[in-house]
């Protein structure tokens, strides 16, 4: 059971970067708290290296300043290792994010990790389908990949159709373009490439009919035609 000092949650970090505790404070904190000593010991095992004073100070701040319980920090360390990320800067960055998201229990941490894993798996599929160079996705790319595959349940070939329309139109991959095409598919209930092509034929016929009636230039109509025709 955690001691009172270990249960204490101090306000989250301010916008400005706070100074990390010095070696004297770190040593005192570890000596006073069995749970903190346990965390440092477990961290060394998980990361397969001895903790420097700066490393230990980071973990202490994740607990004392960012409000992460000891068991949640351990889960964070294990997740980081599974991602091939053993450096403390990465761990600190994710830990601060978890603190702001109030991930203060094992259940919340498990839910967060599942979400992160789903995002990773979705992006890997998109990366392969679009033949992109392997890299970490931007937050927008990660969210988009998760939305297309996990929320909208779109098949890869339909996503690739949107990508091809993007390339044919502007000559390069642009996330916002692909996302707009797929959003239109989703809103229209289109679930297959065949349905997308059929919708495209209807849009072409409708566009020609409208042009015959009113040949005036409309930029919004032009952009819609460019994407979906």
């Amino acid at each position: 059971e955690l001691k009172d000092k270990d249960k204490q949650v101090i306000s989250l970090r301010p916008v400005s970067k706070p100074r990390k505790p010095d070696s004297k404070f770190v040593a005192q904190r570890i000596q006073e708290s069995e749970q903190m000593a346990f965390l440092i010991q477990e961290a060394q095992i998980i990361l397969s290296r001895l903790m420097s004073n700066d490393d230990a100070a980071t973990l202490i701040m994740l607990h004392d300043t960012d409000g992460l319980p000891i068991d949640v920090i351990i889960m964070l360390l294990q997740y980081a290792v599974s991602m091939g990320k053993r450096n403390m800067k990465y761990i600190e960055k994710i830990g601060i994010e978890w603190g702001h998201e109030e991930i203060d229990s094992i259940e919340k941490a498990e839910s967060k990790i599942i979400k992160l894993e789903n995002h990773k798996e979705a992006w890997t599929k998109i990366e392969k389908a679009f033949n992109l160079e392997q890299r970490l996705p931007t937050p927008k790319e990660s969210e988009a990949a998760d939305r297309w595959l996990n929320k909208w349940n779109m098949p890869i070939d339909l996503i690739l159709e949107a990508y091809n329309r993007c390339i044919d139109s502007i000559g390069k991959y642009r996330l916002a373009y692909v996302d707009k095409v797929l959003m239109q598919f989703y809103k229209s209930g289109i679930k297959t490439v065949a349905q997308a092509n059929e919708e495209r034929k209807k849009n072409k016929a409708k566009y020609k009919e409208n042009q015959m009636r009113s040949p005036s230039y409309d930029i919004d109509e032009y952009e819609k035609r460019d994407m979906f025709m």
Side-chain angles (χ1 to χ4, degrees):
E1 185 178 348
L2 299 183
K3 294 181 179 180
D4 290 340
K5 190 168 184 178
D6 292 313
K7 292 180 180 179
Q8 183 181 4
V9 176
I10 303 174
S11 60
L12 296 179
R13 297 193 192 192
V15 176
S16 60
K17 190 174 182 180
R19 179 181 297 179
K20 289 185 179 179
D22 58 22
S23 57
K24 182 178 180 180
F25 179 89
V26 169
Q28 182 179 358
R29 189 76 175 87
I30 293 173
Q31 185 177 11
E32 291 177 349
S33 169
E34 293 180 4
Q35 289 294 321
M36 195 58 65
F38 172 76
L39 172 61
I40 302 304
Q41 182 180 15
E42 285 296 299
Q44 291 181 146
I45 294 172
I46 294 169
L47 299 177
S48 301
R49 69 167 187 268
L50 293 175
M51 291 288 97
S52 67
N53 182 79
D54 192 61
D55 291 338
T58 295
L59 296 181
I60 289 172
M61 288 188 70
L62 288 179
H63 178 271
D64 291 352
T65 305
D66 297 295
L68 298 185
I70 300 295
D71 47 11
V72 169
I73 297 175
I74 290 174
M75 289 185 69
L76 169 59
L77 292 168
Q78 292 169 337
Y79 170 73
V81 170
S82 73
M83 292 290 291
K85 303 286 187 178
R86 295 173 182 268
N87 67 85
M88 197 56 68
K89 286 185 178 180
Y90 174 84
I91 293 167
E92 181 180 26
K93 177 179 178 294
I94 300 301
I96 293 171
E97 290 176 2
W98 284 22
H100 283 284
E101 293 177 29
E102 297 184 352
I103 299 176
D104 53 8
S105 69
I106 291 178
E107 291 75 20
K108 289 182 181 180
E110 287 176 343
S111 179
K112 179 65 177 180
I113 289 172
I114 290 172
K115 181 179 179 181
L116 290 171
E117 290 291 346
N118 287 341
H119 279 214
K120 178 186 176 184
E121 184 179 350
W123 173 250
T124 299
K125 291 179 180 178
I126 295 301
E127 190 177 54
K128 183 177 180 181
F130 293 0
N131 196 28
L132 300 174
E133 182 180 353
Q134 287 189 354
R135 59 174 172 77
L136 287 175
T138 66
K140 286 186 178 180
E141 285 176 324
S142 181
E143 289 291 338
D146 179 68
R147 180 167 60 252
W148 302 339
L149 287 167
N150 299 326
K151 294 180 180 177
W152 292 350
N153 296 315
M154 289 190 165
I156 283 291
D157 59 346
L158 186 59
I159 296 174
L160 188 58
E161 171 68 17
Y163 171 81
N164 288 333
R165 291 188 186 190
C166 175
I167 298 299
D168 291 342
S169 178
I170 63 176
K172 60 182 179 180
Y173 160 64
R174 183 175 293 169
L175 175 67
Y177 193 110
V178 176
D179 191 47
K180 192 170 184 179
V181 175
L182 291 173
M183 183 177 293
Q184 184 64 35
F185 287 168
Y186 178 71
K187 288 180 178 179
S188 301
I190 293 172
K191 298 181 179 179
T192 66
V193 174
Q195 290 175 339
N197 289 334
E198 183 64 28
E199 183 73 9
R200 201 172 203 179
K201 289 179 182 178
K202 291 179 181 178
N203 287 338
K204 282 184 177 180
K206 185 177 179 181
Y207 177 77
K208 288 181 179 179
E209 183 181 347
N210 290 339
Q211 282 296 96
M212 291 178 65
R213 293 178 180 177
S214 177
S216 61
Y217 184 79
D218 187 316
I219 186 63
D220 291 334
E221 183 66 24
Y222 178 80
E223 289 182 351
K224 183 177 180 181
R225 180 196 67 175
D226 201 38
M227 285 186 173
F228 308 113
M229 294 175 59

